[in-house]
Amino acid sequence: MNFHTAPITYTGEVHLNVLDLTRSIQFYKEVIGFKVLEEAANKVVLTADGKTPLLIIEQPENVTPKEAHKAGLYHFALLLPKRADLGAIIKHFIQHQVRIGASDHLVSEALYLSDPDGNGIEIYTDRDPAVWSWDNEQVAMSTDPLDGESIIAESGDQIWDGLPSGTVMGHVHLHVAHLPETETFYNALGFEVVTNYPQALFMSNGKYHHHIGLNTWNGVGAPRPSEGSVGLQSFTLVYPTEAVLDEAIGKVEALGMKVVADENRFIVEDPSGNRIVLRVG
């Protein structure tokens, strides 16, 4: 099953504020391997396959630096098609002396780094869902050391030549103020909890290991960041049909949340102020 196409509701493009657009374009092209899809004076749309937006970076007027201990982005996560692709980018990072973290999550193998503004990035590949371990609607996840040598060996002589065309936005992980009300909100949008962690939970649609991560690691009650500060401007959830989207909108409105129509999409904020674009794929 593809957890990032219909009939699953899945994560789409992420929109970030940055301090220096030129610096960020260079980083996302040369270090991460994006291609430019669209470019304007203060905003750039980035892609892996040359047609699908994955990341939008924008330098707002009067932008301010990233604020500590606030709600907002923990990381966005790029899912590579194959384990060999992960090995190729590890070699690329080593060659260019890029500092990274790494973890084996049982369901996936992941690398972690930040962009020049401190926006968190995960780059990962999934293990075959057939080997994921489920128990009472919960999938087993962990944070174990990554076997980087095995992953590099799998890449053979593959050279990193930018993000593969099959790269998708695998998930988005957020800092939030309170977990219970945030869980209720994302449940209304069509996601269910599949893993609980200390001060965190992970939610998915269609039995993925997670499309959305939520944590209170910046403190319970973390305030929303200032408008125009570096960090998350919005992220997108892509629904399989108008009917499924309409049902989700009805459920979040029943919680008292305001949903705004914007051309062929809708905009809502979660209880911590994280802005979400809702659309049909």
Side-chain angles (χ1 to χ4, degrees), residues 157-168:
D157 59 1
Q158 180 177 332
I159 302 299
W160 181 252
D161 189 28
L163 291 168
S165 62
T167 301
V168 298

Side-chain angles (χ1 to χ4, degrees), residues 39 56 59 75 77 79 83-84 97 99 159 164 192 206 209 280:
E39 190 165 3
I56 302 164
Q59 182 181 332
H75 62 239
L79 174 58
R83 193 170 188 253
Q97 299 181 317
R99 292 184 62 183
I159 302 299
E192 60 184 359
H209 58 69
V280 175

